[in-house]
Amino acid sequence: MKCKTVRMSSNFIWAVATAAYQIEGGKDTDGRTPSMWDAIREIPGRIKDGSTKDLSCDGRNKYREDVQLIKSLGVTHYRFSIDWSRVMKNGKTRNPLGMEYYKDLCRELKKEGIKCIVTLFHADLPLDLYNEGSWLTEGIIDRFVEFSRYCYEELNEYVSIWITFNEIRMHAWAGVVKVEGEPFHSLDIDYKKFLGNVSVTRAVMVASRNMLLAHAKVYRLFHEKDDSTRVGIIVGAHSCMDAEGEKISAVSERATKSMVNLYLDPLIHPSNDWTEDMKEYLGTDLPPWSEDEKKLLKNTMDVLCLNYYRPHIVKERKGPSLVEELFNFTMVDDDWPKIGGESSWVRLHPRGLISLLEGLTKKEKEDGMKYPNVPILISENGVNDDPSLDSLEDTNRIQYIEAHIDGILEARRSGINVIGYTAWSLMDNLEWDDGFQSEEKTRTPKMSVDWYRKKIEKERRDETMNKEVK
C-alpha cells in the first residue's frame, strides 16, 4: 500500500441554493403575470398546511439582505432560479422591469465575490403556457428557447453555470399531469385534449421528450454565442439498492435507470437514444427520436447536476405507483436514520450517493465509461428541521450535511469528478404543496450557518489530502 497526495481543486464549488417561487413572493411586483403555482395555491385544500397564497419569504424585496447572508456562509456560488412569469409576461413577451430584479441580484452577488449558478426552469410555468398544453406540446420548446435567450443576453456575464431544468423527471411525472403514486404538483390538465387517446405514461414521456429537446436547443444556442459557456441539467439522484443486503442487483439497477439514466441517456450515452431495456419496459409509450433529433441531443451537457436526499430499498415486485408497476419493482421500508424526524422522507445514508456516483461512472464496456468525462455537481443536498429539536439548534442538519460532504470527498479520492457541493436551502421556504406556515420575514441564522462556514474554510484551507491506493 502506498500513499498518494491528491490536491483538492481550488475551484471546487461550495454553494447554497434556493428556487424563485419558493422564496421570492412579490407575485404582483415588476409586472409579473400569473404562474401555475399561483393558480394551484388558489384551490381550496391543495396546500396541506392551509397557508395563504400570498405567504412567502419576501425574497424579491429582501435580496440585498439575503446576499449578505450568503456572504456570511463563505460559499463561492449561489444557485437560484429565474421566475419565467416575472421576466416574460404570460411567458411570451419580454419584461425588462422583471429582468432588472435579477440583474440587480447578480450585481450584488458579484460585488461580494459570489458566482451565480442559474436554473432557468424550477417547477413553475407561466399559467398561460400551462393552459396551452404545458410540456405536452412542441410549441413550448421554442417559447423556452426565447425565454432562455433573453436570460442569456441579460445575465450571462454574471453566470458561472447555466442549468436548464431542475429535476426533469420530477416535473414530467408530477408537474404536468396527475399521475398515480406521484406528488401532485400541477393543475389537473386534460392531457388527451392535446395528445389524443393515449395513456398517462405516454403523456409523461412526451413531456420528458419535449423538455430534453428544449434543453438541447438551449445548449446549442448558448454554445453558439460562447463555446466556453457551461450548461447542465439536474436529475433527482434516486439511488436504489436491493433489499437483500443493500447491494446493486438487476432490480435495483433497473429502478435507478427508470428514475435517473432514462433522462440522461439521450444526452450523453453513446447511443443518444432511450436504451433498449427502457424501450422494452415502456414500449409504444416511449416516443422515438428522429436522427436529426439525436444529433441535436448529442453531448449536450457540460455539467451533470444531481439533487440527492436519500436512497431507496427495492424488491422485485410491482409496487403501487405507476412507475413501480411499469418497471416491476417496489420500494420497501428501510431502517436508516430518520434524520429530519419521524415524519420526514429524508434519510441519513450517504453511501447511497457514493453508490450512485460509482454506478454513473463505472465502465460499461472495455472502451470507456458509461457517462465519460462529465463533471458532476451536487446541486441540492439537505434536510428539514427535526420538530423534536430547537429549530435554531439544527444539529441534525449539521450531521446530515457533514456526512454527505465527507462522502463526496471519498468519491473524489476514488477518482470521480465531483466539482462541487450545494446545500439546500438558504432559508426556510414554501415547500410546494406542503405549504409554509411561518409569517415571519426575519432571517435568523441557525447553528448550521456557522458550522457550514467553518467547514468550507477548513476544506479550502486543507487543499491537500492523503489518498490511500492499494
Side-chain angles (χ1 to χ4, degrees), residues 200-458:
V200 69
T201 305
R202 175 75 177 194
V204 165
M205 294 315 301
V206 166
S208 302
R209 179 182 186 277
N210 287 338
M211 282 188 273
L212 287 169
L213 287 172
H215 161 84
K217 285 193 172 187
V218 168
Y219 181 95
R220 300 296 182 198
L221 172 67
F222 285 12
H223 274 262
E224 284 170 8
K225 291 179 175 292
D226 182 353
D227 198 46
S228 67
T229 305
R230 290 193 291 176
V231 182
I233 194 169
I234 294 174
V235 294
H238 295 277
S239 175
C240 297
M241 302 176 180
D242 194 286
E244 301 298 328
E246 295 187 17
K247 61 185 178 182
I248 304 302
S249 64
V251 63
S252 67
E253 187 170 14
R254 183 169 68 250
T256 298
K257 282 185 174 182
S258 74
M259 294 187 283
V260 180
N261 305 66
L262 179 60
Y263 306 91
L264 296 175
D265 289 337
L267 306 178
I268 52 177
H269 191 275
S271 68
N272 291 114
D273 196 356
W274 316 114
T275 54
E276 293 304 317
D277 52 351
M278 296 295 101
K279 291 179 184 178
E280 179 182 344
Y281 278 95
L282 292 173
T284 57
D285 284 331
L286 200 57
W289 306 103
S290 70
E291 289 305 312
D292 285 343
E293 287 169 342
K294 289 180 184 179
K295 291 178 183 177
L296 174 69
L297 293 163
K298 185 175 183 179
N299 296 332
T300 52
M301 187 182 297
D302 303 310
V303 184
L304 168 55
C305 305
L306 300 174
N307 291 355
Y308 177 84
Y309 292 93
R310 59 159 299 163
H312 302 282
I313 294 290
V314 295
K315 281 187 174 183
E316 184 93 40
R317 184 177 70 241
K318 291 183 184 296
S321 72
L322 179 57
V323 71
E324 289 170 294
E325 179 184 344
L326 288 167
F327 293 97
N328 193 31
F329 69 89
T330 188
M331 295 182 185
V332 297
D333 291 340
D334 58 76
D335 58 3
W336 300 316
K338 296 179 179 180
I339 192 74
E342 285 300 312
S343 63
S344 175
W345 59 273
V346 181
R347 299 290 185 270
L348 177 60
H349 197 67
R351 181 62 214 173
L353 175 57
I354 298 170
S355 177
L356 180 67
L357 291 171
E358 291 171 345
L360 289 174
T361 57
K362 72 179 181 180
K363 287 189 176 181
E364 191 171 50
K365 297 178 181 178
E366 287 301 315
D367 58 353
M369 302 176 79
K370 180 176 280 190
Y371 299 140
N373 304 320
V374 180
I376 297 171
L377 170 67
I378 306 305
S379 42
E380 283 183 26
N381 179 245
V383 64
N384 57 283
D385 287 338
D386 183 341
S388 69
L389 301 175
D390 184 314
S391 63
L392 297 182
E393 296 180 1
D394 54 343
T395 53
N396 68 314
R397 182 171 288 113
I398 293 170
Q399 181 185 0
Y400 180 91
I401 292 178
E402 183 168 38
H404 285 87
I405 289 175
D406 290 347
I408 289 164
L409 298 182
E410 177 185 331
R412 283 174 58 84
R413 287 192 291 271
S414 71
I416 297 174
N417 188 19
V418 182
I419 64 168
Y421 174 85
T422 310
W424 180 272
S425 166
L426 174 64
M427 66 185 78
D428 297 335
N429 55 51
L430 174 75
E431 191 51 41
W432 304 115
D433 57 345
D434 284 334
F436 179 76
Q437 288 195 334
S438 174
E439 296 188 16
E440 298 296 325
K441 311 295 183 183
T442 305
R443 274 69 166 151
T444 306
K446 301 183 181 185
M447 185 183 294
S448 57
V449 169
D450 186 57
W451 175 85
Y452 192 40
R453 179 179 63 252
K454 290 178 178 177
K455 178 70 171 176
I456 293 171
E457 288 173 352
K458 177 182 182 300

Side-chain angles (χ1 to χ4, degrees), residues 1-12:
M1 182 177 290
K2 62 180 180 178
C3 288
K4 180 181 178 182
T5 299
V6 179
R7 290 199 65 82
M8 181 73 163
S9 173
S10 60
N11 60 2
F12 187 83

